[in-house]
Every structure is written in C-alpha cells, then in structure tokens.
Amino acid sequence: MRQTFDETTDPSFGARHLPLVRARMAEQGLDGLLVPHEDEHQNEYLPAANDRLAWISGFTGSAGAGVVMRDRAAVFADGRYTVQVKAQVDPAHFEILDLVEGGVPAYLERAPQGAVIGYDPRLHSPDSLATLKRAAGRAGAVLKPVDVNPLDQAWGEARPQQPQAPVVAHEDRYTGETSASKRARIGAAVAAAGADAAVLTAPSSIAWLFNVRGGDVIRSPLPLGQAILRADGTATLFLDPAKVGNDLPAWLGDAVDLKATDTLEAALEGLAGRKVLIDPAQSSAWYFDRLEAAGASIVRAMDPCALPRAAKNPVEIEGTRQAHIRDGAALTRFLHWIDTVAQSTLPDEREIAEALERFREQTGALKDLSFDTIAGAGPNGALPHYKPVTRTLRRMEKGSLLLVDGGGQYLDGTTDVTRTMAVGQPSADQRRMFTLVLKGHIAMATVRFPEGTTGHQLDALARLPMWMQGFDYDHGTGHGVGSYLGVHEGPQRIAKAVNTQPLLTGMILSNEPGYYREGHWGIRIETLQVVTSPDPIPGGERPMHGFEQLTFAPLDRSLIDVDLLTPDERTYVDAYHALTLAKVGALLDDQVRDWLTVQCAPL
C-alpha cells in the first residue's frame, strides 16, 4: 500500500530537540529562530528532509509555523488542524496558537526589546518576510538572516537525505504543448514585463515548463530544481545530477542547458547588469539577496508560468475528463462496497482507506495517490483534514456518518473527490445538514459569472443555504488543481479570504462545501470542475463563464431530504446522476452497475 498509518513524530520531539536547537542558536548569538513549515521551494507537502517544523515540534500538518525563543516556543496551526496539533505537540514546551488570527506576526510583536531572531532566507519569501520584519520592529526586535540554519545543524546526521527521484519526460500527448512552445511564449511574456530573464523556483512551474515530472514531493509528481528562462526561450535547468537519466538531455533539447544545482549561485551572479523577473510571493528571499548582490535589476512579478499552467489547454482538459471517468469507476466500486459489505463488517478507517486505494490500483493507471486519503468515521469526520493513524482509528458505526476524501495521480490528470455516506439509517438531522451542504454545492456547480469574477466573489453562494440556517464551515470552498501536478494549485481559489485572481477559462477548481459537528460527524461533498469559456445566455446581454463538472460518482441518496430541494436543484441532481451512470457505468461489472443504476435513479 502507498499510504501508511504509522505516526512519524510524537510529542516528545519538543523536549528532545528544542535544547539542541537552542544550543546552536546561542552559538550564533540568536535569541530566537523562525521555523516555517515551507521549505526552500515553498512546498506545501514536503520531503522528509525538509519537514523542519515536524522535527522540532512533532506537528505534521500541511500548514503551520513555529518560533523558538531562548525560554519559550510556539507552534501555529489553522482551523483544519486544531485537534491534530494538540495531539502531536507537547504544550509543556510549545504554546499552541492560531496561524490565521494574529499568527506569527502577533507573536513577534511581543518579542523582548533588542531580541535578535534568526531566519533562514531560503525558507521565506520576501513578501512574507516583510510582514514579519515589520512586526518584530514594533517590538524593538530585529530579524537576522543566518548563513547556516541552527535547526539543520542540530538535526545533523539524523536528517534524512534529500530525495533523488528520477526526472522523466511527460509526453506531449498529455501536455498538449511542447516545451519549446511553452518556453517561447513564456519568454515573450518575460520580455513584455521588461526583463531579460526569469528565475523559476516553483517545482510545479519547472515540471510544467519543461514537460517533465519527478517524485521528490510526496503525493505530487514534482522534481525539486530551479531554472533560468531567458526572453528568447532558451533556459538553464538546475537539477541534482543523480536525478538525470540518459534520456533527459535529448528530451529537453539543445535550447535547454542542464546544470548541477551547486552551480546555481554562480549562475545568479552571472545575471549581473540584467533585468531579472522573480516572484516575491513564491521564491525565497535568498534568491533576491543573491541577485541584488550580483548587481542585477529585479523585476518583481508573478511567476510567469503560474497562469498559463493554471488555465489548462484542451488536451489537458480532455485528459482530466478521462482520468476522472476512470477514477469515478474506482470510486463507485468503493461506494458499492461501503453500501453493502462494509455496512455489516463495519471496517475501521485504515481498512476503508486501503480498500479505496485497492480500487484505484485496479485501474492499472494509478501513479500515486494525490494526497493521503482522509477517512473519517463518526467524530473523526468532523476534523476536515483528519488523517487516519493507528492511534486514532475508529470503526464505522451504525447511526453515524463516514466522510472519505481522496484522489489519484494519473498521467492524464489529477483527481480529488469527497463523498459522505450514511452508516445504517441516517437521522433527520443528518439528512437536513447533508442537504444544506448539497444545496450550496449545487449553487457553485451551476453558477454563471462574467469575465473578471474572482473565486472570492463566488464563495458566499456555497455558504448561503447554511448561513440562512445559522451554520458555516471554516475552510475554503475550492482550490485549484493541476494536470498530473499538485492537487493544490494556485493562484485561483474560492474562499472567504480575498483573492484578486479572476477565474479563467480552463482553470480547474474543487467545489467542496461542508459541515462539521464536533464530537459527532462531518459532511463534505467535493467534485472538481473546470471553468468554461464565456458564452451567451439566451435573452442575456453579456457572455458568462460557467463550470463543467469533471468528477462523476454517486451521492448517497439516503442522505438527501428531497423536500428541502427546489425543483431546479432536484433537476440538477437527477441530471448529474444520469451523467454519472452514462460515463462510468460501462466500466463496471453487472453487480456494481445494477447498484449504480438504483443510486442514480431520479429523485
């Protein structure tokens, strides 16, 4: 099995590792040290060698931060990890604080006057660092860059090796555009921005621009590396030589120069006198420091690959459609198993996650999971980002709900889908809350919107049915998704938080409203959808974007209170189920197809 259920950290990490780090801090004259979750590539999911926050504190969530002072320390996590962080981190050694409300800046505002707090410039973007510096300044403290990270020194020989997964070609039949074509148009965009070259540090941009994939980042086919793209479309790609096979240079072509990563600093110095585009929200401060020291003129702008990567071309969209049909058939087999076998055997969360993984493996096309499966039985389903581990496993239990959120990485697309299922006969309250979530989900699936609309402007539509009844959920409604890349992809998203990026044709986003009753159960309905081109609406005056559904798997009709749905909402559910039966039914055996036919019958 790809997913493991063993815990890699424990709360004793703080007692064991804090003294080691503080000793190294003292050697450098530091009163404090910033420990972000992000690594040198600003990754969300990290190689083990880069998971510094987990090593110092025990906290393994995908978002967080830490601050270590001489006599105290703090770990910050957001609402998704409220329960997890308390279970993983020893409160005797770390204060546990909210990452969003105040966060690290508020903590730094209480730093002792004159304190010198170290930071590793490789781990912070200039944008985030500027906020932290202002906060420290208000306390009369200063942030000081370190050449050698005290935490890395303390970790020492016990630190895992950096990943060295082979970098392989990702064929044009999946990408829909050659790397040479991408480099030419991105190079032209660099020139239009007034720059001679761009420094690219995001693994997803490296993978997309050069049509390559790797395996350095868990659950994402990403290679760790950097690139310098020049305005004429030529480029230098920096990779660990251990990742480079005999076929890669030929795939990249003569216009791409392959160099070892240890030559990167010299290459940046070689940009002296040039105008260099680099993303201050994505690339670390270390690059800016090196370029400024070399005498380059920095053009601060968004990674020029970000929007072209997010707005999928027709080949990528069709590949994603096919990946979802294949994945939908696997998920339907799983849902049939839950509705039949599991209702009597009442498996635990590990057995549930392993069953879903087996069904995906049986497609013969699965390259990896797109993230570790979330299988939350009963109260565990009320934790939005719960990951089953041996210590916390629960069994399905009658009268409760099961929430399962998982996805697969396929050469032609990345999937991410959540379904909530009743165990036994659902209560009227469970049916009511599921249907309120469904109403919000339908609103987001069917909305039409003009060009220039952002996900922030749409977010309230998914929440409105719950808001009107006095309920809400504390996570975003939708995140971007890559094409055989990361399951979380920006810059597009649908959330309460302000996001100024308009939704563009070809962007793939999730639609995942939810409701979580702490101590009882959770509900989430998630499908992926792609932004369609703006088309006229009969009788209207302006063309409007919409969403095409990509995910096809049945909803648990026992949880739908039909009386709470409008006629249009019932029509939507019936049409969605009819499409699900048509698209995935042919891939199923007779027994599962007969079950799906019943599940997809009109309401």
Side-chain angles (χ1 to χ4, degrees):
M1 304 300 291
R2 300 172 190 269
Q3 184 165 339
T4 63
F5 301 86
D6 298 327
E7 293 182 270
T8 57
T9 69
D10 64 65
S12 71
F13 274 28
R16 291 158 52 192
H17 298 155
L18 277 172
L20 303 177
V21 173
R22 285 175 170 142
R24 294 295 189 173
M25 287 165 46
E27 292 174 1
Q28 296 192 35
L30 300 175
D31 301 301
L33 179 69
L34 302 182
V35 185
H37 170 268
E38 293 78 15
D39 68 356
E40 291 85 339
H41 301 268
Q42 301 296 297
N43 282 316
E44 176 184 19
Y45 298 110
L46 303 176
N50 296 349
D51 205 347
R52 295 173 174 89
L53 184 59
W55 181 82
I56 188 72
S57 70
F59 175 56
T60 60
S62 64
V67 179
V68 178
M69 303 297 289
R70 287 184 176 182
D71 57 352
R72 56 191 173 93
V75 168
F76 302 80
D78 64 26
R80 296 171 296 173
Y81 296 110
T82 301
V83 175
Q84 179 179 327
V85 69
K86 291 177 181 177
Q88 290 185 317
V89 175
D90 184 351
H93 290 87
F94 289 94
E95 188 177 1
I96 298 173
L97 300 171
D98 191 282
L99 182 65
V100 179
E101 296 298 326
V104 178
Y107 190 82
L108 292 179
E109 289 179 356
R110 303 195 305 270
Q113 186 169 7
V116 178
I117 301 171
Y119 70 90
D120 187 336
R122 292 174 172 82
L123 308 181
H124 299 267
S125 71
D127 280 359
S128 64
L129 197 57
T131 300
L132 298 175
K133 285 182 175 180
R134 286 194 297 270
R138 285 192 283 271
V142 296
L143 297 189
K144 176 184 177 182
V146 297
D147 293 326
V148 180
N149 191 321
L151 188 150
D152 293 351
Q153 287 181 306
W155 203 344
E157 294 182 358
R159 184 181 180 186
Q161 294 296 310
Q162 289 291 331
Q164 295 182 332
V167 178
V168 298
H170 191 49
E171 298 178 17
D172 297 345
R173 62 189 172 118
Y174 299 120
T175 68
E177 184 179 9
T178 66
S179 174
S181 172
K182 290 178 180 179
R183 286 185 279 105
R185 66 186 178 101
I186 301 303
V190 170
D196 302 308
V199 174
L200 306 175
T201 64
S204 52
S205 291
I206 300 296
W208 178 85
L209 182 64
F210 295 99
N211 286 351
V212 296
R213 297 295 188 268
D216 291 335
V217 180
I218 187 171
R219 308 293 177 237
S220 302
L222 298 175
L224 299 184
Q226 300 86 7
I228 297 173
L229 174 69
R230 289 169 281 277
D232 64 2
T234 63
T236 302
L237 176 58
F238 300 89
L239 296 172
D240 183 336
K243 304 176 188 178
V244 178
N246 294 332
D247 297 335
L248 188 62
W251 172 256
L252 295 171
D254 294 339
V256 178
D257 190 18
L258 261 176
K259 295 284 190 181
T261 50
D262 60 12
T263 68
L264 173 63
E265 187 166 359
L268 295 177
E269 293 172 355
L271 294 173
R274 301 298 184 94
K275 295 179 180 178
V276 181
L277 186 153
I278 187 166
D279 189 340
Q282 173 63 50
S283 299
S284 73
W286 181 86
Y287 295 95
F288 290 76
D289 295 344
R290 298 284 83 71
L291 289 168
E292 288 172 358
S297 298
I298 294 177
V299 177
R300 293 177 174 238
M302 179 189 289
D303 179 336
C305 298
L307 285 180
R309 182 180 75 241
K312 311 297 185 288
N313 64 42
V315 171
E316 292 172 314
I317 294 171
E318 180 58 27
T320 296
R321 291 189 185 108
Q322 297 306 315
H324 277 82
I325 291 171
R326 183 189 314 118
D327 192 74
L331 182 58
T332 299
R333 295 186 187 99
F334 168 78
L335 295 174
H336 169 260
W337 177 79
I338 289 290
D339 196 46
T340 54
V341 175
Q343 291 286 335
S344 57
T345 61
L346 299 179
D348 67 26
E349 294 160 340
R350 175 174 184 156
E351 294 167 324
I352 292 163
E354 288 178 340
L356 179 53
E357 186 174 329
R358 281 196 301 272
F359 285 117
R360 284 193 163 109
E361 288 281 9
Q362 289 168 9
T363 66
L366 186 73
K367 305 301 288 185
D368 197 356
L369 303 177
S370 56
F371 56 97
D372 282 340
T373 298
I374 298 167
N380 287 343
L383 311 176
H385 269 228
Y386 169 76
K387 176 189 172 182
V389 293
T390 302
R391 176 177 52 83
T392 62
L393 292 178
R394 296 183 66 96
R395 305 190 77 85
M396 290 172 53
E397 54 187 72
K398 296 291 186 180
S400 192
L401 302 179
L402 172 69
L403 185 156
V404 178
D405 183 353
Q409 292 282 11
Y410 304 93
L411 288 173
D412 48 0
T414 299
T415 70
D416 179 5
V417 54
T418 306
R419 289 294 181 265
T420 304
M421 296 142 279
V423 186
Q425 185 65 32
S427 68
D429 185 39
Q430 290 168 342
R431 297 177 70 239
R432 174 195 179 216
M433 296 312 304
F434 181 91
T435 308
L436 289 178
V437 173
L438 177 59
K439 289 168 74 71
H441 182 89
I442 294 170
M444 189 59 68
T446 57
V447 65
R448 303 297 297 274
F449 53 94
E451 290 187 86
T453 301
T454 68
H456 166 66
Q457 293 169 319
L458 297 181
D459 181 74
L461 297 175
R463 300 178 190 270
L464 185 60
M466 279 180 285
W467 282 356
M468 297 301 291
Q469 301 296 321
F471 302 103
D472 200 2
Y473 52 94
D474 294 325
H475 57 72
T477 299
H479 57 82
V481 179
S483 176
Y484 190 45
L485 285 171
V487 73
H488 292 161
E489 177 181 83
Q492 73 274 25
R493 68 191 303 252
I494 303 171
K496 288 181 181 179
V498 175
N499 182 307
T500 59
Q501 174 56 53
L503 301 182
L504 305 177
T505 301
M507 284 182 168
I508 296 174
L509 298 106
S510 65
N511 172 8
E512 50 179 309
Y515 171 73
Y516 309 93
R517 182 163 295 172
E518 186 175 352
H520 295 277
W521 35 261
I523 296 167
R524 187 162 63 251
I525 303 171
E526 178 187 17
T527 65
L528 299 191
Q529 49 195 32
V530 60
V531 180
T532 60
S533 59
D535 292 320
I537 295 177
E541 296 181 343
R542 299 183 185 183
M544 296 284 166
H545 287 289
F547 289 116
E548 173 194 337
Q549 300 305 296
L550 296 171
T551 304
F552 291 98
L555 304 167
D556 187 342
R557 61 190 296 126
S558 76
L559 284 168
I560 301 175
D561 186 339
V562 179
D563 292 338
L564 294 180
L565 296 180
T566 66
D568 285 346
E569 289 168 340
R570 291 197 294 271
T571 297
Y572 172 83
V573 173
D574 287 345
Y576 176 79
H577 274 154
L579 275 174
T580 296
L581 181 60
K583 288 179 179 293
V584 308
L587 301 179
L588 305 173
D589 60 39
D590 291 344
Q591 183 180 27
V592 179
R593 189 185 310 113
D594 290 345
W595 174 86
L596 180 63
T597 301
V598 173
Q599 297 301 308
C600 293
L603 294 175

